[in-house]
Structure formats: structure tokens, C-alpha cells
Amino acid sequence: MVSKSWIEHAYPLQQVAIYLQGTRHSDRAAIISQLETVLARLKAGENVGREEDDDFGYSFKYVAAAEGEPSYFDEAWGVNGP
């Protein structure tokens, strides 16, 4: 549970959701290349984007003030995620 004082300090949150997907034939370099493309588009000022070809691609969304959105990190995370 997030304390009221932290909410007053930190909210509204800025959030970026990025989804990258490759096929079983994709190598790590191809996935990293997608991530670099998303980064370049975010740096260029884009807030949403998508590029895909069947099962290989990415989508992203940047929200500057996610007032009603919960934190991605409200729950404890282990070494391998939630």
C-alpha cells in the first residue's frame, strides 16, 4: 500500500509501457534493436507508436500524468519480476 504522503509527493506518475515481441527465430540483437527504435521515437517526442510484421514488432505508450493509474511497483518484486 502506498502512503498518502508518498502519493502527494510523487503523483501524478509518468509511465512508459513498452511491449517487444519476436519469434523463436529472432535473436537478442533484433529485440534490442526494437528497444532502441522505441527509445529514438520517445526522444523525438512521440507518445505512442507501433510497428509490427505478423509476430515480430513493438508497441509503446508514454503517459505524462497517469493520475488514475496505479504504480507499476506497488507490489514487491523479486529478482525475476512480480
Side-chain angles (χ1 to χ4, degrees):
M1 185 64 139
V2 180
S3 71
K4 183 178 186 217
S5 64
W6 181 252
I7 289 173
E8 290 170 353
H9 168 76
Y11 283 58
L13 299 172
Q14 295 184 62
Q15 295 178 329
V16 179
I18 301 170
Y19 295 93
L20 306 170
Q21 179 172 288
T23 69
R24 65 186 177 117
H25 304 289
S26 303
D27 62 10
R28 186 179 182 101
I31 299 296
I32 292 170
S33 178
Q34 290 184 98
L35 186 55
E36 290 170 337
T37 299
V38 170
L39 178 60
R41 291 180 70 175
L42 287 165
K43 285 182 175 182
E46 295 183 51
N47 292 329
V48 295
R50 177 184 178 123
E51 186 173 316
E52 53 89 16
D53 180 18
D54 294 324
D55 293 323
F56 182 85
Y58 65 83
S59 67
F60 68 93
K61 180 180 179 183
Y62 167 72
V63 178
E67 191 72 51
E69 298 287 330
S71 170
Y72 294 150
F73 307 111
D74 281 346
E75 297 179 18
W77 276 51
V79 173
N80 296 319

